[in-house]
Amino acid sequence: MRLNSSCTDSAELRITAMKTRLGCFSRKSDSYSDFSEFLPPAHETTARCVKLSTEEVVQWSHSFDQVVSHKYGLAAFRTFLKTEFSDENIEFWMACEDYKKIKNSTKLTSKGNKIFKEFIDVQAPREVNIDYCTRVETKQSLEDPSPSNLNEAQAKIYSLMEKDSYPRFLRSKMYLDIVKRTHAHSQRRSV
């Protein structure tokens, strides 16, 4: 039994497209060129570039909270998660932090629904990994707007990042390079 050529061509195109899509997952990048804007260049010592100290960067290794509460730590961690194709976690966490600051109930409703559709709903474009019960409870809580509506889902994603992504971040070439470069920069300044 022979397949007609258009069916075979169509199947080959689908296989090629699938391989292309899957290929991006198998090649995790350790590139962080978009992070380099606030790293002191190895050859430059102008005051403009002195934005991070070695002490600040080393403090990131003390706790996950130290990373996400520091402007550049958060930026570095976001960049790292992009290389692992899991930046939806930190984006969701940040959206929840913004949500907590809203005082107007109409805006809470609008922002809450937007966050739910983008991150929590089944098949959301940037779906985060939370269990069914948390998903349902979050959806129900959004019916009565409050700054704490997303707390449980946010806490679960925070815990996931803290236990899973954060240790890999601390072992990553990117983090180790930041430590090395800030240390080298401080050594040059003290000479």
Side-chain angles (χ1 to χ4, degrees), residues 22-34:
L22 292 174
C24 73
F25 290 113
S26 66
R27 292 184 303 271
K28 287 188 179 179
S29 168
D30 206 5
S31 165
Y32 46 92
S33 59
D34 57 340

Side-chain angles (χ1 to χ4, degrees), residues 129-141:
N129 186 12
I130 56 172
D131 60 276
Y132 175 78
C133 290
T134 304
R135 190 180 314 275
V136 170
E137 289 170 8
T138 302
K139 178 67 173 167
Q140 290 171 347
S141 75

Side-chain angles (χ1 to χ4, degrees), residues 160-177:
L160 176 71
M161 290 187 295
E162 182 177 36
K163 291 176 183 164
D164 186 45
S165 304
Y166 173 62
R168 284 196 312 276
F169 169 70
L170 294 178
R171 293 187 308 265
S172 72
K173 181 183 181 313
M174 183 178 86
Y175 176 71
L176 297 174
D177 192 40

